[in-house]
């Protein structure tokens, strides 16, 4: 028996199906070449040859003589195990960085790339050292849920509807409660800029008197130390903290559980500290029966949540748009195929419906009028017109007769055809296009990888800066109270200097946290 070897050749410069036919026709004539199969989209030729007669380098040379670029591929896609996973629960760049760095440390994993936009992980591994189940376990241990990419035709992993709904809800809740908080705040600012001392009172116009009176209403104390303004702000802030910030808290908890700090941790820190600090200040004021209403930060959490949930919502809408085109492409693929067995003289002996993934190369497939071609192949019997506009954009149907090539996803119009499958599964033209688009989405620019790395260090750094700010102002205040007095708005003699210093230090440190919170790096 002749030994048959198989090699893969990377072919460049092919533009259409006639290039493919040209290469296949010319090489089949050569001695020692058993069969050749060229994939246009993948730019790859699979050649079965007799090593006693011809060598792969000679095969590449033959293709080059036809006017194409050709190089022999060392391992034609075999050897490495390739794993595609859907990973759920990633929120930001540092999650991605965490998964990638942990996997790369795992023995036997050669390469991995995780895409936040498509929720996908692409992993190459050495089957000798590690298996797909181990990889999935590693990701699960990090707190993310993951599953194999099922070749579902609906492209559900590209569907961002659930996330869009969830962030839209978060945004709407925060927004509804944020408006009155902002209204109160602006109103108080305007009012406080008016003089309301007793001796200017009789010089005021009636409108001004009216205004100062209504500002008095907000400053009016329901209980000693608890003004109407602060009480309303508190009531409006609670729902935002609970409902608007719900997803942020969940994500931050997951991140902290695995000792990483991402953007969510920063957001939760800033809003929770601002909220709790304001509550504590109010309680202290009520306990002391303070005459002067304390300055609270109840306006900070709603506004932060509004901006960031709006950002997240828009981000998922944009991701959904990119994915929609892919989903449409994927939906063009046929789901089932009719595989037939032929007797002598192409007599139909039997036929059965099988899933598209189970069609093997060399199978004879029957396509009825109006049906989609499930795989790439060439016609062995029948005449028909075929609509190939999904690939070529050409609206006119193309005539097909025995020997013509057909493309998966195109639509058979008027005659029944029998085709021999040449490219199946992931090798069909349509699958290759989908794969190219997906790869374009999953591959990362070097600057993006750099940003991912930075965000891993960014959060701890900001928290540290904020703590340093707090301590620094406390020290400055006790050393030279004059500086704090100059910057602390609404300073009145009725508050002890120690309290003023602590309040001012807190304001400064919370400001640092809040400003860095929706930082451009995180939003980008």
């Amino acid at each position: 028996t002749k030994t048959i070897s198989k090699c893969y050749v990377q072919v460049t410069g092919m533009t259409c199906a006639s290039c493919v036919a040209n290469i296949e026709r010319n090489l089949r004539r050569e001695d020692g070449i058993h069969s050749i199969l060229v994939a246009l989209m993948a730019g790859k030729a699979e050649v079965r040859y007799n090593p006693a007669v011809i060598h792969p380098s000679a095969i590449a040379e033959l293709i080059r003589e036809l006017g194409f670029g050709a190089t022999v591929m060392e391992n034609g896609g075999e050897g490495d195990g390739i794993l595609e996973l859907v990973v759920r629960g990633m929120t930001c760049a540092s999650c991605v960085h965490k998964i990638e760095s942990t996997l790369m440390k795992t023995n036997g994993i050669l390469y991995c790339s995780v895409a936040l936009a498509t929720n996908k992980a692409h992993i190459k591994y050495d089957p000798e050292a590690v298996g797909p189940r181990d990889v999935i376990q590693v990701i699960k241990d990090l707190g993310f849920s993951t599953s194999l990419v099922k070749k579902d035709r609906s492209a559900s992993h590209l569907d961002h509807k659930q996330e869009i709904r969830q962030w839209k809800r978060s945004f709407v809740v925060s927004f509804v409660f944020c408006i009155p908080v902002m209204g109160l705040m602006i109103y108080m600012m305007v009012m406080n800029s008016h003089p309301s001392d007793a001796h200017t009172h009789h010089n005021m116009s009636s409108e001004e008197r009216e205004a100062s009176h209504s500002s008095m209403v907000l400053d009016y104390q329901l209980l000693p130390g608890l003004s109407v303004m602060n009480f309303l702000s508190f009531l409006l802030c609670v729902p935002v903290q609970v409902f608007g910030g719900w997803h942020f808290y969940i994500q931050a908890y997951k991140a902290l559980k695995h000792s990483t700090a991402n953007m969510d941790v920063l957001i939760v820190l800033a809003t929770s500290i601002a909220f709790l600090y304001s509550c504590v200040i109010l309680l202290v004021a009520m306990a002391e029966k303070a005459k002067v209403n304390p300055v609270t930060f109840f306006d900070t959490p709603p506004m932060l949540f509004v901006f960031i949930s709006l950002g997240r919502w828009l981000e998922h809408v944009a991701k959904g748009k990119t994915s929609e085109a892919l989903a449409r492409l994927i939906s063009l693929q046929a789901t089932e195929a009719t595989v037939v067995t032929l007797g002598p003289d192409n007599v139909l002996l039997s036929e059965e419906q099988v899933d598209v993934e189970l069609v093997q190369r060399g199978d004879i497939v029957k396509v009825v009028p109006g049906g989609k071609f499930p795989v790439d192949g060439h016609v062995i019997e029948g005449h028909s017109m075929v609509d190939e506009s999904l690939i070529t954009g050409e609206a006119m149907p193309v005539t097909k007769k025995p020997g013509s090539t057909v493309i998966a996803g195109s639509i058979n119009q008027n005659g029944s055809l029998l085709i021999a499958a040449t490219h199946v599964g992931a090798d069909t033209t349509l699958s290759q296009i989908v794969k190219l688009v997906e790869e374009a989405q999953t591959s990362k620019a070097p600057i993006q990888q750099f940003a991912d790395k930075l965000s891993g260090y960014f959060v701890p750094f900001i928290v540290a800066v904020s703590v340093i700010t707090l301590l620094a102002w406390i020290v400055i205040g006790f050393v030279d109270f004059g500086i704090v007095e100059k910057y602390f708005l609404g300073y009145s003699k009725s508050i002890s200097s120690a309290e003023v210093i602590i309040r001012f230090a807190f304001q400064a440190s919370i400001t640092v946290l809040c400003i860095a919170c929706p930082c451009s790096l995180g939003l980008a």
Side-chain angles (χ1 to χ4, degrees), residues 213-267:
H213 175 68
S214 54
S215 111
M216 296 301 217
V217 171
L218 283 181
D219 276 333
Y220 173 75
Q221 300 199 334
L222 295 169
L223 296 165
L226 178 64
S227 65
V228 175
M229 166 85 182
N230 280 338
F231 183 62
L232 286 177
S233 303
F234 170 76
L235 287 185
L236 292 168
C237 190
V238 172
V240 178
Q241 204 65 25
V242 176
F243 300 110
W246 183 247
H247 302 298
F248 292 103
Y249 277 97
I250 292 172
Q251 301 299 353
Y253 169 70
K254 283 183 182 168
L256 287 172
K257 207 166 76 182
H258 300 288
S259 61
T260 54
N262 57 15
M263 288 309 297
D264 298 303
V265 174
L266 202 53
I267 294 161

Side-chain angles (χ1 to χ4, degrees), residues 33 83-84 123 193 276 498 506 510:
I33 291 186
L83 190 58
E84 288 269 355
I123 298 149
S193 62
L276 293 173
F506 247 96
I510 290 178

Side-chain angles (χ1 to χ4, degrees), residues 103-286:
L103 282 176
M104 290 303 285
K105 282 181 206 144
T106 310
N107 183 28
I109 291 183
L110 311 170
Y111 165 82
C112 89
S113 161
V114 181
L116 190 58
T118 54
N119 285 337
K120 272 194 160 183
H122 184 80
I123 298 149
K124 281 194 184 125
Y125 61 94
D126 175 6
E128 308 280 314
V130 70
R133 282 206 310 277
D134 310 331
V135 177
I136 290 177
Q137 195 51 50
V138 169
I139 299 179
K140 281 196 174 143
D141 290 343
L142 289 174
F144 302 98
S145 58
T146 181
S147 57
L148 272 171
V149 174
K150 294 204 172 45
K151 287 278 180 266
D152 63 334
R153 298 292 175 223
S154 62
S156 64
H157 63 276
L158 299 174
D159 184 18
H160 290 270
K161 286 198 182 71
Q162 185 200 344
E163 283 99 336
I164 292 174
R165 266 204 312 274
Q166 151 183 325
W167 288 114
K168 185 179 175 182
R169 205 166 45 223
S170 174
F171 168 69
V172 169
V173 169
S174 309
F175 188 69
V176 164
F177 290 101
C178 176
I179 295 291
V181 169
M182 285 188 69
L184 283 174
M185 193 176 87
I186 292 166
Y187 180 75
M188 285 303 282
M189 278 179 179
V190 173
M191 286 305 124
N192 288 345
S193 62
H194 281 292
S196 59
D197 302 338
H199 64 269
T200 57
H201 204 271
H202 60 269
N203 301 337
M204 282 181 169
S205 67
S206 60
E207 288 92 11
E208 283 182 315
R209 233 179 250 132
E210 196 57 42
S212 86
H213 175 68
S214 54
S215 111
M216 296 301 217
V217 171
L218 283 181
D219 276 333
Y220 173 75
Q221 300 199 334
L222 295 169
L223 296 165
L226 178 64
S227 65
V228 175
M229 166 85 182
N230 280 338
F231 183 62
L232 286 177
S233 303
F234 170 76
L235 287 185
L236 292 168
C237 190
V238 172
V240 178
Q241 204 65 25
V242 176
F243 300 110
W246 183 247
H247 302 298
F248 292 103
Y249 277 97
I250 292 172
Q251 301 299 353
Y253 169 70
K254 283 183 182 168
L256 287 172
K257 207 166 76 182
H258 300 288
S259 61
T260 54
N262 57 15
M263 288 309 297
D264 298 303
V265 174
L266 202 53
I267 294 161
V268 164
L269 261 179
T271 51
S272 306
I273 291 175
F275 180 70
L276 293 173
Y277 169 75
S278 305
C279 291
V280 169
I281 273 258
L282 273 189
L283 292 172
V284 169
M286 285 160 70

Side-chain angles (χ1 to χ4, degrees), residues 16-18 40 329 332 371-373 375-379 384-401 403-413 417 419 429-430 433:
C16 63
S18 62
L40 178 64
L329 255 187
L332 292 171
K372 278 182 188 171
F373 289 97
V375 290
D376 292 2
H378 54 257
V379 180
S384 181
M385 304 294 280
V386 173
D387 173 7
E388 291 187 342
S389 58
L390 89 146
I391 300 289
T392 59
E394 172 58 69
M396 288 291 286
V398 186
T399 311
K400 297 291 178 190
K401 54 184 193 293
S404 314
T405 53
V406 291
I407 306 168
S410 49
I411 298 163
N412 186 15
Q413 291 194 334
L417 293 177
I419 63 165
T429 309
L430 192 57
I433 294 175

